[in-house]
Amino acid sequence: MFFMKNKNFTLLAYAALTLPFIHPVSADLNADVMAVEDELFGEFPVVLTATRLKQSKSHSPIATTIIDREMIEASGFTEIVDLLRLAPGMLVNYDSGHIGAAGYQFLFDRYRVRFQVLVDGMSVYTPLQGEMPWTQLGIAVDDIERIEVIRGPSSSSYGPNAMTGVVSIITRHSVLDKGMKFKANQGVNGRSEQFFTAGGNSGTFDYKVTLAGREDQGFEGRYDNKDLALINFRGDYQATKNDTLTIGFSHNSGTYGEDASDGLNDAMPEHNKEVKYTSFRTRWIHNFSSTESLNIHYYRQLYTDINAYIGDYSADGYGDVPTNEGLKTIRDNLELSYSTSSDKLSLNLGALYRRDNTLATEYLKDVDRDVDTKQVFLNTEFRINSSNTINLNLLYDDNITAGKTLSPRVALNHHFSNNHTLRVSYAEATRSPFIFEEYTNRSVYVPLTDKSYRIWQDLSDLTPEKIKTVEVGYIGMLNNNKTEIDIRGYHNKITDLISPKWSYTIDGSGTVTDPGGFKQGDAFDVTGFEATLKHKFSSATFILNYANAKIDTTRLVFAEEVDLVTGSPEDTISLLYIQNFNNDLTGSLGYYYTGSYQQLCCEILQAPRNRLDLVLSKSFQWSGHKSQLKLVLQNVTDEEISTRLYNNYHRQGYISFSIEL
Amino acid sequence: MSIISSGSVLERNISEIISKKFQTDFQVVKLRVTEVDKQSLDKSRFVVTLGSEAAELVSNIQTKSIVINSLISTANNLNNNSGCFSDCYSIFINQPVRRYLALFKNIFSSSHRLVFLKSENNTKMARQVLNLSNQFGIKLKQVLIKDNENLSRELLNTFTVKDVLLALPDSHIYNSRTAKSIILTSYHADVPIISYSSSFARAGALIALYSSVENITDKTVSVIEKLISKGSSGQKEYYPDNFEVEVNAAVARSLNIHLKERSELKRIIK
């Protein structure tokens, strides 16, 4: 019914369905010229299509970190957000035991994530305040094949909100996981997790389903436990040699403890909230040939956060105030893209239509808000000669909160040799105001006074935040390609920053005289350096990441210097060492250092953090079934630092047992 | 001369070429497998079979004629010379193992390792790969595949850095059902595939070395001409002299592998 009413969706869908049929048939499909071996040995469906092939790092216009399965399993992390520690420049912190937050180069609070997060191409940030529901995603860590962290402004390929970068999570193809597997994690802090995976096929339809239950007690001294269940289904159907259809469904439902730590909000009592996340997606890829394909992707997401409680504002003279911080969002997205490549040129051209519908009782005063987004994008890679590649990317976006924006990127990759590449690039990106920023209207009703107070209001007409970046990068492969060096230096100019004004004033007559809201106009620069050293020994892997970032606040208008300059630690380091002792025994060591930077709750600095994790896993046969026992110790040195959020994990760990049935 | 085929378009085309080539030397009779009997075959000096179905049929008939079995594979035990009654010759569709190893040596350095999946169907080929790898000084890892349901896991347990997967014809391992998991697993592990068919290269292998219709037809004609002019030969098994190379340039770029021009590769391997 939605599609019938919405012309844009109808037109785009019509174009998508008819386009393949007006394209000339490739000569590859002509049986008369088929090579002998194709007939006698069988024809294979095209697997590595133009859309599926990753761009090699030496040809990529931007620095990219790949967190692969080996790294994911060796890290011992069970929260998806923690995996981002394995990319240079990424900051990970926790607002509570179940609310993780991540930022690239800087991290001010848990909202306004200034990078795009995709799960199999689905954008998963919540449109109200740009929060990333890491714990509520409908996938388990074991469902992930790899994570691509694109470090740098990427609106030219991924649209607004890919302001500082992109985290693209790619789940495992269902053909790779056949049979049944059961896994259980049991650890301190009340951690108890169970996972069941079943994969199979019916003809050319491969499928996989994951069921999981997860619970833990959160941080010590906090009321921030979680108890959730999720289901994730993926099906891949090879309809013809040249047509693939992928469908996915996921649902995550959980109960979470909520509290306020250390006087940050004395009015909020400990209480539980419920969060549900559901997504459905379908993707059709038609290959005209191995170098030319059409991709149509549709997905729908529903996110419901039921979070209501009675706030105690007696100290301020308002008594009990019913508070509802819940929200409901529905996202519909339809994307169409065409890819082709030849010896000299690779091209990806596409369009996207998205509608975000948000209802938030308190934050939007019960008004149902729709944000429609239309995008057209073009990505090209010109291989001028064997030594030089130019990438040109451009994206045009039109949405209600930001208006029309154009985001370009140009990059030149010069290959000194097959193993050494220098990259120079310039990019511009934007972040559209989120729904709450654009339609700020937070009202609370106070029974004691029988009045409603608009404590947060629209303070100004907002425009998109902007970033301009110049970067120089180097990719080197040494020691017969066993050693990889990836270096990046950059300078970002960020302008039109949207900053929250949290405080509000109510005068004696009950009028909100100085409401909270969002202001715009601040600007700051970030200059930084990132490096990755990766070396593969014969039976071990070593990965070292380092990042240094400095925020220059000389162009501030509204914010205090301390509000921003402390948002980035000067140095971060991550080290992952993986040792295969023999075919059955693997050990790994993870070390993570984050320099001093502000806490998520406030501008108060937290001390530098050091964290050491150890993982040992042993594979064996148990009653004829392949099994694995894993011991994970986290924060082995038991370092604890003082924070208002009490977000310290003591030395902890868990045991994991898995068996393939 | 009798030319036997199952009647597919491909075999009919080859049959036509051979027929035209020798129609002045012989009376050429083209037969489908359903039309063949011993009497009709024995009238011919040469019997040319196209494809495994025709080859198997003729070997069961046990004709006294000279038999040239063309369009058959060395894998899947399709070499029917063991059933030969008189004088039989085979022209294989696939390329010799030696050429694949030469291709590997030319593209990759000595620090690379070749991974070969073997099954009970291709033990002869596996032995050839092993012997020639030792001869060429190539590091080799052979993996026996009994159950192709969990190929992905077998590959993941095998692959290390700088591995290259050599895919040779074996329908137990490489077929339209398993190709996707093999290609995806290899690609995610940055392991390029040297394959035996252009379809495999188009699907996602790095490079393919294979025989074209023209290659096989030329060789078949050449063997017949040699038998006509010089009589019986001690060599019974032949591979096409010429071959084709197909590169998946997009995969090569993605894996940052730099290959010589196709013509240069062909020249070096030959």
Side-chain angles (χ1 to χ4, degrees):
Chain A
M1 210 163 143
F2 175 76
F3 288 87
M4 297 298 281
K5 282 184 181 173
N6 190 301
K7 278 188 195 167
N8 291 309
F9 264 115
T10 307
L11 284 171
L12 197 53
Y14 176 76
L17 289 168
T18 53
L19 189 56
F21 299 102
I22 61 175
H23 191 281
V25 173
S26 163
D28 287 340
L29 302 177
N30 187 331
D32 287 342
V33 298
M34 203 158 49
V36 172
E37 77 296 336
D38 287 350
E39 182 172 304
L40 291 187
F41 295 138
E43 276 217 77
F44 297 122
V46 179
V47 178
L48 297 182
T49 59
T51 49
R52 192 172 261 154
L53 282 171
K54 57 192 181 216
Q55 203 174 16
S56 74
K57 283 187 174 184
S58 62
H59 287 89
S60 172
I62 194 164
T64 305
T65 297
I66 306 291
I67 303 170
D68 59 25
R69 269 233 60 86
E70 185 189 27
M71 294 166 69
I72 292 171
E73 290 184 9
S75 71
F77 292 132
T78 57
E79 298 294 340
I80 294 173
V81 68
D82 282 324
L83 294 171
L84 300 182
R85 297 176 192 271
L86 297 166
M90 292 300 297
L91 305 171
V92 176
N93 209 337
Y94 280 83
D95 188 271
S96 72
H98 57 79
I99 300 176
Y104 177 54
Q105 296 170 359
F106 47 84
L107 180 60
F108 301 127
D109 56 50
R110 65 189 248 202
Y111 304 106
R112 282 167 290 285
V113 170
R114 289 178 170 91
F115 57 85
Q116 179 66 277
V117 181
L118 305 170
V119 176
D120 288 331
M122 294 189 296
S123 175
V124 290
Y125 70 88
T126 55
L128 181 69
Q129 294 203 67
E131 195 174 356
M132 251 309 300
W134 295 103
T135 308
Q136 287 79 30
L137 293 178
I139 56 172
V141 168
D142 282 355
D143 288 329
I144 300 174
E145 174 65 43
R146 70 179 185 279
I147 301 176
E148 296 176 358
V149 180
I150 300 168
R151 297 178 280 122
S154 300
S155 292
S156 57
S157 300
Y158 295 93
N161 307 330
M163 185 176 166
T164 61
V166 179
V167 170
S168 178
I169 300 171
I170 294 145
T171 64
R172 288 170 65 75
H173 196 290
S174 54
V175 79
L176 297 176
D177 289 317
K178 295 282 194 248
M180 291 190 288
K181 181 177 171 181
F182 174 76
K183 177 174 166 181
N185 298 338
Q186 207 69 28
V188 302
N189 208 32
R191 188 204 302 251
S192 178
E193 300 172 327
Q194 300 81 38
F195 304 87
F196 174 75
T197 305
N201 71 283
S202 173
T204 59
F205 179 66
D206 296 292
Y207 56 84
K208 174 188 156 183
V209 63
T210 298
L211 299 164
R214 304 179 60 212
E215 63 176 316
D216 65 58
Q217 296 303 308
F219 292 117
E220 193 173 304
R222 296 279 307 266
Y223 186 78
D224 58 354
N225 56 295
K226 70 169 177 278
D227 186 355
L228 66 93
L230 73 87
I231 177 169
N232 181 33
F233 172 83
R234 174 172 173 158
D236 296 278
Y237 177 52
Q238 190 72 46
T240 69
K241 183 171 73 80
N242 293 307
D243 292 275
T244 310
L245 183 67
T246 300
I247 55 172
F249 168 79
S250 66
H251 179 74
N252 181 322
S253 179
T255 303
Y256 303 86
E258 287 275 289
D259 71 349
S261 175
D262 197 16
L264 288 168
N265 184 358
D266 289 333
M268 185 169 84
E270 291 179 355
H271 65 282
N272 289 332
K273 72 172 186 178
E274 286 179 32
V275 182
K276 292 183 188 8
Y277 169 86
T278 307
S279 75
F280 167 76
R281 66 183 179 93
T282 180
R283 184 191 294 272
W284 174 50
I285 298 176
H286 175 76
N287 301 308
F288 300 106
S289 70
S290 61
T291 56
E292 198 178 359
S293 64
L294 180 73
N295 177 10
I296 300 169
H297 184 207
Y298 168 74
Y299 64 87
R300 170 171 259 227
Q301 294 171 323
L302 279 82
Y303 180 84
T304 309
D305 185 334
I306 302 169
N307 186 5
Y309 57 90
I310 305 293
D312 179 5
Y313 291 89
S314 305
D316 299 312
Y318 292 101
D320 289 341
V321 177
T323 305
N324 186 348
E325 297 187 35
L327 67 124
K328 181 179 173 184
T329 72
I330 301 174
R331 172 175 289 153
D332 285 286
N333 191 104
L334 179 64
E335 181 177 337
L336 171 74
S337 67
Y338 167 79
S339 301
T340 184
S341 74
S342 64
D343 285 344
K344 288 288 186 189
L345 171 71
S346 293
L347 183 145
N348 173 249
L349 171 69
L352 174 151
Y353 183 85
R354 177 186 303 152
R355 168 164 285 185
D356 284 321
N357 171 272
T358 303
L359 178 66
T361 303
E362 187 168 302
Y363 287 106
L364 301 178
K365 204 172 186 302
D366 271 328
V367 176
D368 204 326
R369 289 288 178 190
D370 284 339
V371 174
D372 289 342
T373 300
K374 296 182 273 287
Q375 286 175 7
V376 178
F377 54 87
L378 173 67
N379 299 307
T380 59
E381 178 188 320
F382 294 100
R383 292 172 283 278
I384 302 168
N385 51 43
S386 60
S387 300
N388 295 287
T389 305
I390 286 185
N391 279 272
L392 294 171
N393 308 82
L394 191 65
L395 186 141
Y396 168 80
D397 181 276
D398 182 3
N399 72 69
I400 286 173
T401 64
K404 298 174 174 53
T405 59
L406 197 63
S407 302
R409 173 165 57 216
V410 57
L412 169 66
N413 292 42
H414 176 70
H415 315 289
F416 294 101
S417 69
N418 290 344
N419 293 329
H420 300 280
T421 298
L422 182 74
R423 179 186 67 245
V424 178
S425 77
Y426 171 79
E428 295 179 8
T430 62
R431 177 179 82 75
S432 302
F434 294 116
I435 291 178
F436 184 45
E437 292 171 329
E438 183 67 12
Y439 303 109
T440 317
N441 194 0
R442 186 176 183 185
S443 285
V444 293
Y445 170 73
V446 178
L448 192 67
T449 61
D450 194 25
K451 280 178 77 170
S452 288
Y453 300 86
R454 274 187 74 202
I455 56 174
W456 277 59
Q457 300 173 25
D458 260 344
L459 299 181
S460 59
D461 195 16
L462 300 176
T463 60
E465 293 182 338
K466 298 179 188 64
I467 185 172
K468 292 182 182 178
T469 295
V470 173
E471 73 151 52
V472 177
Y474 164 78
I475 308 281
M477 300 295 295
L478 313 170
N479 291 329
N480 271 325
N481 291 348
K482 286 183 187 170
T483 305
E484 179 187 317
I485 296 176
D486 182 340
I487 295 173
R488 173 177 184 248
Y490 61 87
H491 180 74
N492 296 340
K493 284 183 112 59
I494 297 169
T495 58
D496 300 295
L497 191 74
I498 299 172
S499 307
K501 176 183 173 293
W502 300 112
S503 62
Y504 55 89
T505 306
I506 303 176
D507 68 14
S509 67
T511 304
V512 178
T513 54
D514 182 23
F518 294 94
K519 305 170 296 180
Q520 184 163 44
D522 271 326
F524 66 96
D525 297 352
V526 185
T527 304
F529 169 83
E530 292 160 6
T532 297
L533 171 67
K534 186 171 182 176
H535 183 76
K536 290 229 178 217
F537 301 96
S538 57
S539 60
T541 302
F542 172 86
I543 303 155
L544 176 65
N545 292 312
Y546 171 74
N548 175 288
K550 283 192 177 62
I551 294 181
D552 176 357
T553 56
T554 52
R555 294 184 297 129
L556 287 182
V557 175
F558 301 114
E560 295 292 327
E561 181 181 339
V562 70
D563 292 349
L564 290 177
V565 75
T566 53
S568 179
E570 197 157 324
D571 302 293
T572 57
I573 298 171
S574 74
L575 185 156
L576 185 64
Y577 179 78
I578 309 167
Q579 176 71 54
N580 291 310
F581 295 104
N582 57 43
N583 280 342
D584 299 328
L585 186 65
T586 305
S588 60
L589 177 154
Y591 171 69
Y592 310 95
Y593 168 80
T594 310
S596 176
Y597 75 118
Q598 70 179 49
Q599 301 173 48
L600 285 181
C601 61
C602 36
E603 292 79 35
I604 302 171
L605 290 177
Q606 66 186 32
R609 280 189 197 253
N610 290 276
R611 172 173 167 163
L612 179 67
D613 294 355
L614 299 173
V615 178
L616 194 64
S617 70
K618 168 85 178 153
S619 300
F620 56 96
Q621 290 287 326
W622 191 46
S623 298
H625 298 285
K626 188 164 178 201
S627 305
Q628 186 190 66
L629 198 60
K630 194 172 185 177
L631 174 66
V632 179
L633 294 173
Q634 296 172 319
N635 195 18
V636 172
T637 54
D638 200 16
E639 182 187 79
E640 184 175 324
I641 63 173
S642 171
T643 64
R644 288 192 72 182
L645 288 172
Y646 296 109
N647 51 358
N648 278 295
Y649 283 118
H650 294 289
R651 181 187 300 122
Q652 62 172 337
Y654 66 90
I655 291 178
S656 175
F657 171 74
S658 65
I659 183 166
E660 291 176 23
L661 303 166
Chain B
M1 175 186 282
S2 296
I3 305 176
I4 320 294
S5 74
S6 63
S8 72
V9 169
L10 174 70
E11 289 166 4
R12 284 207 308 271
N13 288 341
I14 298 175
S15 175
E16 193 60 36
I17 294 169
I18 297 173
S19 171
K20 278 187 180 153
K21 180 73 184 171
F22 294 105
Q23 63 188 4
T24 55
D25 300 297
F26 303 98
Q27 181 190 4
V28 180
V29 177
K30 287 179 277 188
L31 297 169
R32 291 205 176 186
V33 292
T34 49
E35 299 163 336
V36 172
D37 59 51
K38 184 170 165 46
Q39 199 175 6
S40 58
L41 289 187
D42 284 344
K43 287 179 188 170
S44 301
R45 184 180 167 198
F46 293 103
V47 172
V48 179
T49 71
L50 301 176
S52 58
E53 190 184 353
E56 193 151 343
L57 175 75
V58 168
S59 78
N60 289 336
I61 288 177
Q62 298 190 335
T63 176
K64 295 174 199 167
S65 310
I66 298 171
V67 177
I68 299 109
N69 294 311
S70 182
L71 274 187
I72 57 172
S73 167
T74 52
N76 301 330
N77 297 319
L78 288 177
N79 177 356
N80 289 302
N81 281 353
S82 57
C84 182
F85 186 72
S86 60
D87 197 12
C88 303
Y89 301 85
S90 294
I91 293 132
F92 297 121
I93 175 183
N94 45 295
Q95 288 290 314
V97 172
R98 176 177 293 272
R99 284 197 176 136
Y100 290 97
L101 298 193
L103 182 65
F104 167 83
K105 263 207 94 111
N106 196 264
I107 297 174
F108 300 102
S109 71
S110 58
S111 59
H112 283 82
R113 184 179 75 162
L114 195 63
V115 174
F116 181 73
L117 306 182
K118 60 181 182 183
S119 73
E120 282 155 7
N121 290 342
N122 68 356
T123 50
K124 180 179 172 185
M125 200 184 308
R127 266 200 310 278
Q128 285 179 333
V129 171
L130 177 63
N131 293 338
L132 287 167
S133 295
N134 288 336
Q135 195 178 316
F136 281 45
I138 292 174
K139 285 188 280 192
L140 175 71
K141 170 77 177 175
Q142 294 207 356
V143 182
L144 177 64
I145 303 293
K146 289 180 185 169
D147 169 19
N148 66 11
E149 284 301 315
N150 278 303
L151 267 171
S152 174
R153 212 175 297 288
E154 290 277 2
L155 290 173
L156 283 173
N157 287 340
T158 301
F159 286 151
T160 60
V161 66
K162 306 188 79 160
D163 274 350
V164 178
L165 179 64
L166 174 63
L168 295 181
D170 183 343
S171 60
H172 175 70
I173 297 172
Y174 303 104
N175 53 65
S176 59
R177 202 169 59 81
T178 61
K180 186 177 273 187
S181 100
I182 291 171
I183 290 170
L184 281 175
T185 305
S186 303
Y187 182 66
H188 289 152
D190 288 337
V191 172
I193 303 175
I194 296 175
S195 66
Y196 58 88
S197 93
S198 64
S199 174
F200 210 145
R202 286 195 299 273
L206 171 71
I207 192 167
L209 182 79
Y210 63 96
S211 313
S212 68
V213 176
E214 206 178 327
N215 300 150
I216 297 182
T217 311
D218 287 348
K219 189 62 184 178
T220 306
V221 165
S222 149
V223 167
I224 297 172
E225 283 174 340
K226 190 177 163 191
L227 289 171
I228 292 170
S229 62
K230 295 184 179 173
S232 180
S233 164
Q235 183 179 352
K236 302 297 182 189
E237 297 179 347
Y238 295 88
Y239 293 93
D241 295 327
N242 295 317
F243 52 89
E244 304 303 322
V245 169
E246 181 159 333
V247 173
N248 190 322
V251 169
R253 266 196 309 275
S254 177
L255 294 177
N256 206 27
I257 295 172
H258 303 268
L259 298 173
K260 296 184 176 76
E261 290 292 325
R262 221 164 48 170
S263 53
E264 178 68 12
L265 283 172
K266 283 177 71 172
R267 188 190 65 76
I268 294 169
I269 294 162
K270 214 169 175 184

